[in-house]
Amino acid sequence: MKASSNDVAVILPAAGSGQRFGGVQNKLFATLEHVPLWLFSVRRLRLHQRVGRILMPISASDRPRFETEFAQAVAESEVELVAGGKERTDSVRSGLEALGDDDSVALVAIHDAARPLVRHDHLDAVFAKADQCGAAILATPVTSTVKQSFDDGHSCHTLDRKTLWLAQTPQVFRVDLLRQAYAKHRGRPATDDAELVQRIGIDVALVPGSPENLKITYPHDLTIAQAILNIQSQHEHARTRPDR
Ligand code: CTP
Ligand code: MG
C-alpha cells in the first residue's frame, strides 16, 4: 500500500480522570513547558504529514474546559472532540464511531493522550509496519529480569525476558480490522486495543520504540518527561543547526 498524506486518523483517548496522578483535575491538564499534556501529544502527532483527523474522546466533566479555556487550541490544532466512555475501550469505540465511513483513512492510530513525547521516527516506523501487515504497535524489549509468582511473592520463577516486550502506543491498525475487532468486542476486559485485534485472529507486529515515549501516570513522571524533553531538544537542535 502506498502511504499518502493525511491517511492516518488518530484516536487520542483523553477521557480518563488520572486517579493515580492524584489532584483535583484530569492529569492531562498538567503542563510540560507550559503546554498541557493533551496538547503536547496533539502537537507531536500534527508534525507527521500522514496524520489527518485527530479525534479526542473526553469526559463530560472536562468538556466545559475544552470548550472555553482551550477552545482556540482545539480549533487551531483541528481536534475533533468526542464523548468518551467509562472504560478506555468505550472511549476508543466512540472515536471509531465518530470517524464514520471516511474513504480517505487507511490506518487508525490509537495513542494515549498521556504519552506526550512520542518521536517522529517511531511514528514513521509503526505506520510503515501497519501498512505492511495491518496491525502494529510500538513496544520496548524488557531489560530487567522478570519474576513470576503465584503465591504473593513467597516463591517465584524467572520468565525468559527475550520473549517479553512492554506495549506502548500508538497502536496502529487497518481501519477495517479495527472495526471488526470492536464489532466483536462484547465487554470482556482487554488491556489494550492490540488484544482486541488479536482476538479476531490477526497477528499484531511489535515495532521497537523507546522508553522516551513514557506514559504520564504519577506526578514524578513529569520530572522524567522534562529530562527526556531536554535531551530531545538538544538532539533536535544539533540536527537542525545550519552549520551541520
Ligand atoms: N482514557 C480514556 N477513557 C477512559 C479511561 C482512560 O480515554 N475511560 C484515556 C486516559 O485519558 C489516558 C489513556 O486513556 O490518556 C491511558 O489511560 P491512563 O494512563 O490509565 O489514564 P487514566 O485512566 O486517566 O489514569 P488512572 O488509571 O490513573 O485513573
Ligand atoms: Mg486508567
Side-chain angles (χ1 to χ4, degrees), residues 192-206:
D192 66 0
D193 302 288
E195 193 177 338
L196 296 185
V197 169
Q198 267 166 266
R199 284 183 195 162
I200 60 162
I202 303 296
D203 287 335
V204 176
L206 298 173

Side-chain angles (χ1 to χ4, degrees), residues 93-139:
R93 185 191 292 279
S94 160
L96 199 53
E97 280 165 8
L99 189 61
D101 251 342
D102 187 335
D103 287 346
S104 68
V105 176
L107 300 175
V108 179
I110 300 160
H111 184 60
D112 292 326
R115 291 185 191 270
L117 298 179
V118 64
R119 274 171 32 186
H120 194 279
D121 55 335
H122 291 145
L123 293 177
D124 270 347
V126 72
F127 292 167
K129 193 71 182 176
D131 284 336
Q132 221 178 63
C133 41
I137 69 173
L138 284 184

Side-chain angles (χ1 to χ4, degrees), residues 16-20 27 88 215 217:
S17 57
Q19 290 295 309
R20 287 168 290 180
K27 64 184 178 184
R88 186 177 175 285
K215 181 162 74 70
T217 304

Side-chain angles (χ1 to χ4, degrees), residues 2-4 27 37-38 53 58 71 78 85 113 124-126 128 132 136 144 186 190 196 236:
K2 197 176 167 304
S4 60
K27 64 184 178 184
L37 294 177
W38 68 269
R53 293 175 67 184
I58 57 167
E78 295 181 55
D124 270 347
V126 72
Q132 221 178 63
S144 304
R186 292 278 173 266
L196 296 185
E236 186 58 22

Side-chain angles (χ1 to χ4, degrees), residues 12-22 26-28 57-59 84-92 111-115 215-218:
L12 193 68
S17 57
Q19 290 295 309
R20 287 168 290 180
F21 194 83
N26 185 346
K27 64 184 178 184
L28 298 174
I58 57 167
S59 66
K86 190 163 167 288
E87 304 295 332
R88 186 177 175 285
T89 42
D90 301 323
S91 298
V92 173
H111 184 60
D112 292 326
R115 291 185 191 270
K215 181 162 74 70
I216 305 295
T217 304
Y218 297 101

Side-chain angles (χ1 to χ4, degrees), residues 133-154:
C133 41
I137 69 173
L138 284 184
T140 53
V142 168
T143 54
S144 304
T145 299
V146 181
K147 303 289 186 190
Q148 186 172 43
S149 174
F150 294 104
D151 57 7
D152 224 11
H154 293 291

Side-chain angles (χ1 to χ4, degrees), residues 7-11 55 92 96 99 105-110 127 130 171-176 178-179:
D7 68 344
V8 178
V10 173
I11 297 174
L55 302 107
V92 173
L96 199 53
L99 189 61
V105 176
L107 300 175
V108 179
I110 300 160
F127 292 167
Q171 304 203 336
V172 190
F173 310 99
R174 249 181 29 220
V175 60
D176 55 310
L178 190 65
R179 280 193 205 291

